[in-house]
CSV table of all heavy atoms in Angstrom, one decimal:
chain,number,residue,atom,x,y,z
A,130,VAL,N,-6.8,2.5,15.8
A,130,VAL,CA,-6.1,3.4,16.7
A,130,VAL,C,-7.1,3.9,17.8
A,130,VAL,O,-6.6,4.1,18.9
A,130,VAL,CB,-5.7,4.6,15.8
A,130,VAL,CG1,-5.2,5.7,16.8
A,130,VAL,CG2,-4.5,4.2,14.9
A,131,ALA,N,-8.3,3.9,17.4
A,131,ALA,CA,-9.3,4.4,18.4
A,131,ALA,C,-9.7,3.2,19.4
A,131,ALA,O,-9.9,3.3,20.6
A,131,ALA,CB,-10.6,4.9,17.8
A,132,MET,N,-9.9,2.1,18.9
A,132,MET,CA,-10.5,1.0,19.6
A,132,MET,C,-9.5,0.3,20.7
A,132,MET,O,-10.0,0.1,21.8
A,132,MET,CB,-10.9,-0.1,18.7
A,132,MET,CG,-11.8,-1.2,19.2
A,132,MET,SD,-12.3,-2.5,18.0
A,132,MET,CE,-13.1,-1.4,16.8
A,133,GLU,N,-8.3,0.1,20.3
A,133,GLU,CA,-7.4,-0.6,21.2
A,133,GLU,C,-7.1,0.1,22.5
A,133,GLU,O,-7.1,-0.5,23.6
A,133,GLU,CB,-6.2,-1.1,20.5
A,133,GLU,CG,-6.5,-2.0,19.4
A,133,GLU,CD,-7.6,-3.1,19.7
A,133,GLU,OE1,-7.5,-3.8,20.7
A,133,GLU,OE2,-8.6,-3.1,19.0
A,134,PRO,N,-6.8,1.5,22.4
A,134,PRO,CA,-6.6,2.2,23.8
A,134,PRO,C,-7.9,2.2,24.6
A,134,PRO,O,-7.8,2.1,25.8
A,134,PRO,CB,-6.2,3.6,23.3
A,134,PRO,CG,-5.6,3.4,21.9
A,134,PRO,CD,-6.4,2.3,21.3
A,135,PHE,N,-9.1,2.1,23.9
A,135,PHE,CA,-10.3,1.9,24.7
A,135,PHE,C,-10.4,0.7,25.5
A,135,PHE,O,-10.9,0.7,26.7
A,135,PHE,CB,-11.5,2.1,23.8
A,135,PHE,CG,-12.3,3.4,23.9
A,135,PHE,CD1,-12.4,4.3,22.9
A,135,PHE,CD2,-13.1,3.5,25.1
A,135,PHE,CE1,-13.1,5.4,23.1
A,135,PHE,CE2,-13.8,4.7,25.2
A,135,PHE,CZ,-13.8,5.6,24.2
A,136,ARG,N,-9.9,-0.4,25.0
A,136,ARG,CA,-9.9,-1.6,25.7
A,136,ARG,C,-9.1,-1.5,27.0
A,136,ARG,O,-9.3,-2.0,28.1
A,136,ARG,CB,-9.3,-2.8,24.8
A,136,ARG,CG,-9.9,-3.1,23.6
A,136,ARG,CD,-11.2,-4.0,23.8
A,136,ARG,NE,-11.9,-4.4,22.6
A,136,ARG,CZ,-13.1,-4.9,22.6
A,136,ARG,NH1,-13.7,-4.9,23.6
A,136,ARG,NH2,-13.5,-5.4,21.5
A,137,ALA,N,-7.8,-1.0,26.8
A,137,ALA,CA,-6.9,-0.8,27.9
A,137,ALA,C,-7.5,0.3,28.9
A,137,ALA,O,-7.3,0.2,30.1
A,137,ALA,CB,-5.5,-0.3,27.4
A,138,PHE,N,-8.2,1.2,28.4
A,138,PHE,CA,-8.9,2.3,29.2
A,138,PHE,C,-9.8,1.7,30.2
A,138,PHE,O,-9.8,2.1,31.3
A,138,PHE,CB,-9.6,3.2,28.3
A,138,PHE,CG,-10.1,4.5,28.8
A,138,PHE,CD1,-9.2,5.4,29.4
A,138,PHE,CD2,-11.5,4.9,28.7
A,138,PHE,CE1,-9.7,6.5,29.9
A,138,PHE,CE2,-11.9,6.1,29.2
A,138,PHE,CZ,-10.9,6.9,29.9
A,139,VAL,N,-10.5,0.6,29.9
A,139,VAL,CA,-11.4,0.0,30.8
A,139,VAL,C,-10.7,-0.6,32.0
A,139,VAL,O,-11.0,-0.6,33.1
A,139,VAL,CB,-12.3,-1.0,30.2
A,139,VAL,CG1,-13.1,-1.8,31.1
A,139,VAL,CG2,-13.2,-0.3,29.2
A,140,GLY,N,-9.6,-1.4,31.5
A,140,GLY,CA,-8.7,-1.9,32.6
A,140,GLY,C,-8.0,-0.8,33.5
A,140,GLY,O,-7.9,-1.1,34.7
A,141,ASP,N,-7.7,0.3,33.0
A,141,ASP,CA,-7.1,1.3,33.7
A,141,ASP,C,-8.0,1.9,34.7
A,141,ASP,O,-7.6,2.3,35.9
A,141,ASP,CB,-6.7,2.5,32.8
A,141,ASP,CG,-5.5,2.3,31.8
A,141,ASP,OD1,-4.8,1.2,32.2
A,141,ASP,OD2,-5.4,3.0,30.8
A,142,MET,N,-9.3,2.0,34.3
A,142,MET,CA,-10.3,2.8,35.2
A,142,MET,C,-11.1,1.9,36.0
A,142,MET,O,-11.9,2.5,36.9
A,142,MET,CB,-11.2,3.6,34.2
A,142,MET,CG,-10.6,4.6,33.3
A,142,MET,SD,-9.6,5.7,34.1
A,142,MET,CE,-10.8,6.6,35.1
A,143,THR,N,-10.9,0.6,36.0
A,143,THR,CA,-11.7,-0.3,37.0
A,143,THR,C,-10.9,-1.2,37.8
A,143,THR,O,-9.8,-1.7,37.3
A,143,THR,CB,-12.7,-1.2,36.2
A,143,THR,OG1,-11.9,-2.0,35.1
A,143,THR,CG2,-13.7,-0.3,35.4
A,144,PRO,N,-11.3,-1.6,39.1
A,144,PRO,CA,-10.6,-2.6,39.8
A,144,PRO,C,-10.8,-4.0,39.2
A,144,PRO,O,-11.8,-4.2,38.4
A,144,PRO,CB,-11.3,-2.4,41.2
A,144,PRO,CG,-12.6,-1.9,40.9
A,144,PRO,CD,-12.5,-1.0,39.8
A,145,PRO,N,-10.0,-5.0,39.4
A,145,PRO,CA,-10.2,-6.3,38.8
A,145,PRO,C,-11.5,-6.9,38.9
A,145,PRO,O,-12.1,-7.5,37.9
A,145,PRO,CB,-9.1,-7.1,39.5
A,145,PRO,CG,-8.1,-6.2,40.1
A,145,PRO,CD,-8.8,-4.9,40.4
A,146,ASP,N,-12.2,-6.8,40.1
A,146,ASP,CA,-13.5,-7.4,40.4
A,146,ASP,C,-14.7,-6.7,39.5
A,146,ASP,O,-15.7,-7.1,39.6
A,146,ASP,CB,-13.8,-7.6,41.8
A,146,ASP,CG,-13.9,-6.2,42.6
A,146,ASP,OD1,-13.7,-5.2,41.9
A,146,ASP,OD2,-14.1,-6.3,43.8
A,147,GLN,N,-14.3,-5.6,39.0
A,147,GLN,CA,-15.3,-4.8,38.2
A,147,GLN,C,-15.2,-4.8,36.7
A,147,GLN,O,-16.0,-4.3,35.9
A,147,GLN,CB,-15.4,-3.3,38.8
A,147,GLN,CG,-16.8,-2.7,38.3
A,147,GLN,CD,-16.8,-1.2,38.8
A,147,GLN,OE1,-15.8,-0.5,38.9
A,147,GLN,NE2,-18.0,-0.7,39.2
A,148,ARG,N,-14.0,-5.5,36.3
A,148,ARG,CA,-13.8,-5.5,34.9
A,148,ARG,C,-14.8,-6.2,34.0
A,148,ARG,O,-15.0,-5.8,32.9
A,148,ARG,CB,-12.4,-6.0,34.6
A,148,ARG,CG,-11.4,-4.8,35.0
A,148,ARG,CD,-10.0,-5.3,34.9
A,148,ARG,NE,-9.1,-4.4,35.5
A,148,ARG,CZ,-7.9,-4.7,36.2
A,148,ARG,NH1,-7.5,-5.9,36.2
A,148,ARG,NH2,-7.2,-3.8,36.8
A,149,ALA,N,-15.3,-7.3,34.5
A,149,ALA,CA,-16.4,-8.1,33.7
A,149,ALA,C,-17.6,-7.1,33.5
A,149,ALA,O,-18.1,-7.1,32.4
A,149,ALA,CB,-16.8,-9.3,34.5
A,150,GLN,N,-18.0,-6.4,34.6
A,150,GLN,CA,-19.1,-5.4,34.4
A,150,GLN,C,-18.7,-4.3,33.4
A,150,GLN,O,-19.5,-3.9,32.6
A,150,GLN,CB,-19.4,-4.8,35.9
A,150,GLN,CG,-20.7,-3.9,35.8
A,150,GLN,CD,-20.9,-3.4,37.1
A,150,GLN,OE1,-20.2,-3.6,38.1
A,150,GLN,NE2,-21.9,-2.4,37.3
A,151,GLY,N,-17.5,-3.8,33.5
A,151,GLY,CA,-17.1,-2.8,32.6
A,151,GLY,C,-17.1,-3.3,31.2
A,151,GLY,O,-17.6,-2.6,30.3
A,152,PHE,N,-16.6,-4.5,30.9
A,152,PHE,CA,-16.5,-4.9,29.4
A,152,PHE,C,-17.8,-5.3,29.1
A,152,PHE,O,-18.2,-5.3,27.9
A,152,PHE,CB,-15.5,-6.1,29.4
A,152,PHE,CG,-14.1,-5.8,29.4
A,152,PHE,CD1,-13.2,-6.2,30.4
A,152,PHE,CD2,-13.6,-5.0,28.3
A,152,PHE,CE1,-11.9,-5.8,30.3
A,152,PHE,CE2,-12.3,-4.6,28.4
A,152,PHE,CZ,-11.4,-5.0,29.3
A,153,ALA,N,-18.7,-5.7,30.0
A,153,ALA,CA,-20.2,-6.0,29.6
A,153,ALA,C,-20.9,-4.7,29.1
A,153,ALA,O,-21.6,-4.8,28.1
A,153,ALA,CB,-20.9,-6.6,30.8
A,154,LEU,N,-20.7,-3.6,29.9
A,154,LEU,CA,-21.3,-2.4,29.4
A,154,LEU,C,-20.6,-1.9,28.1
A,154,LEU,O,-21.4,-1.3,27.2
A,154,LEU,CB,-21.2,-1.3,30.4
A,154,LEU,CG,-21.9,0.1,30.2
A,154,LEU,CD1,-23.4,-0.1,30.1
A,154,LEU,CD2,-21.7,1.0,31.3
A,155,GLN,N,-19.3,-2.2,27.9
A,155,GLN,CA,-18.8,-1.8,26.7
A,155,GLN,C,-19.3,-2.6,25.6
A,155,GLN,O,-19.6,-2.1,24.4
A,155,GLN,CB,-17.2,-2.0,26.8
A,155,GLN,CG,-16.5,-1.5,25.6
A,155,GLN,CD,-14.9,-1.7,25.8
A,155,GLN,OE1,-14.4,-2.8,25.4
A,155,GLN,NE2,-14.2,-0.8,26.5
A,156,THR,N,-19.6,-3.9,25.8
A,156,THR,CA,-20.2,-4.8,24.8
A,156,THR,C,-21.6,-4.2,24.5
A,156,THR,O,-22.0,-4.4,23.3
A,156,THR,CB,-20.2,-6.2,25.2
A,156,THR,OG1,-18.9,-6.7,25.6
A,156,THR,CG2,-20.9,-7.2,24.3
A,157,TRP,N,-22.4,-3.8,25.5
A,157,TRP,CA,-23.7,-3.2,25.2
A,157,TRP,C,-23.5,-2.1,24.3
A,157,TRP,O,-24.4,-2.0,23.3
A,157,TRP,CB,-24.4,-2.9,26.5
A,157,TRP,CG,-25.8,-2.4,26.3
A,157,TRP,CD1,-26.9,-3.3,26.3
A,157,TRP,CD2,-26.3,-1.1,26.0
A,157,TRP,NE1,-28.1,-2.6,26.0
A,157,TRP,CE2,-27.7,-1.2,25.8
A,157,TRP,CE3,-25.7,0.1,25.8
A,157,TRP,CZ2,-28.5,-0.2,25.5
A,157,TRP,CZ3,-26.4,1.2,25.4
A,157,TRP,CH2,-27.8,1.1,25.3
A,158,PHE,N,-22.7,-1.2,24.5
A,158,PHE,CA,-22.5,-0.1,23.6
A,158,PHE,C,-22.1,-0.5,22.2
A,158,PHE,O,-22.6,0.1,21.1
A,158,PHE,CB,-21.5,1.0,24.1
A,158,PHE,CG,-22.0,1.9,25.2
A,158,PHE,CD1,-21.5,2.0,26.3
A,158,PHE,CD2,-23.1,2.7,24.8
A,158,PHE,CE1,-22.1,2.9,27.4
A,158,PHE,CE2,-23.6,3.6,25.7
A,158,PHE,CZ,-23.1,3.7,27.0
A,159,ILE,N,-21.2,-1.4,22.2
A,159,ILE,CA,-20.8,-2.1,20.8
A,159,ILE,C,-22.1,-2.6,20.1
A,159,ILE,O,-22.2,-2.3,18.9
A,159,ILE,CB,-19.8,-3.2,21.1
A,159,ILE,CG1,-18.4,-2.5,21.5
A,159,ILE,CG2,-19.5,-4.0,19.7
A,159,ILE,CD1,-17.4,-3.5,21.9
A,160,GLY,N,-22.9,-3.4,20.9
A,160,GLY,CA,-24.1,-3.9,20.2
A,160,GLY,C,-25.0,-2.8,19.7
A,160,GLY,O,-25.5,-2.8,18.7
A,161,ALA,N,-25.3,-1.8,20.6
A,161,ALA,CA,-26.2,-0.7,20.3
A,161,ALA,C,-25.7,0.1,19.1
A,161,ALA,O,-26.5,0.4,18.1
A,161,ALA,CB,-26.4,0.2,21.5
A,162,GLY,N,-24.4,0.5,19.0
A,162,GLY,CA,-23.9,1.1,17.9
A,162,GLY,C,-23.9,0.4,16.7
A,162,GLY,O,-24.3,0.8,15.5
A,163,ALA,N,-23.7,-0.9,16.8
A,163,ALA,CA,-23.7,-1.8,15.6
A,163,ALA,C,-25.2,-1.9,15.0
A,163,ALA,O,-25.3,-2.1,13.8
A,163,ALA,CB,-23.1,-3.2,16.0
A,164,VAL,N,-26.1,-2.0,15.9
A,164,VAL,CA,-27.6,-2.2,15.4
A,164,VAL,C,-27.8,-0.9,14.6
A,164,VAL,O,-28.4,-1.1,13.5
A,164,VAL,CB,-28.5,-2.2,16.6
A,164,VAL,CG1,-29.9,-2.0,16.2
A,164,VAL,CG2,-28.4,-3.6,17.3
A,165,LEU,N,-27.6,0.3,15.1
A,165,LEU,CA,-27.8,1.5,14.3
A,165,LEU,C,-26.9,1.5,13.0
A,165,LEU,O,-27.6,1.9,12.0
A,165,LEU,CB,-27.7,2.7,15.2
A,165,LEU,CG,-27.9,4.1,14.5
A,165,LEU,CD1,-29.3,4.1,14.0
A,165,LEU,CD2,-27.6,5.2,15.5
A,166,GLY,N,-25.8,1.1,13.1
A,166,GLY,CA,-25.0,1.2,11.9
A,166,GLY,C,-25.4,0.3,10.9
A,166,GLY,O,-25.4,0.5,9.7
A,167,SER,N,-25.9,-1.0,11.3
A,167,SER,CA,-26.3,-2.0,10.4
A,167,SER,C,-27.6,-1.6,9.7
A,167,SER,O,-27.9,-1.9,8.5
A,167,SER,CB,-26.3,-3.3,11.0
A,167,SER,OG,-25.0,-3.7,11.5
A,168,LEU,N,-28.5,-1.0,10.6
A,168,LEU,CA,-29.8,-0.6,10.0
A,168,LEU,C,-29.8,0.7,9.3
A,168,LEU,O,-30.9,0.9,8.6
A,168,LEU,CB,-30.8,-0.6,11.2
A,168,LEU,CG,-31.3,-1.9,11.8
A,168,LEU,CD1,-32.2,-1.7,13.0
A,168,LEU,CD2,-31.9,-2.7,10.8
A,169,ALA,N,-28.8,1.5,9.5
A,169,ALA,CA,-29.0,2.9,8.8
A,169,ALA,C,-29.3,2.8,7.4
A,169,ALA,O,-30.3,3.7,7.1
A,169,ALA,CB,-27.6,3.5,9.1
Side-chain angles (χ1 to χ4, degrees):
V130 169
M132 190 180 301
E133 296 322 305
F135 248 112
R136 299 283 192 196
F138 192 53
V139 173
D141 293 341
M142 301 303 298
T143 55
D146 60 0
Q147 199 182 29
R148 284 176 192 151
Q150 184 182 356
F152 284 117
L154 187 58
Q155 189 177 93
T156 300
W157 187 88
F158 277 121
I159 289 171
V164 167
L165 181 55
S167 299
L168 284 179

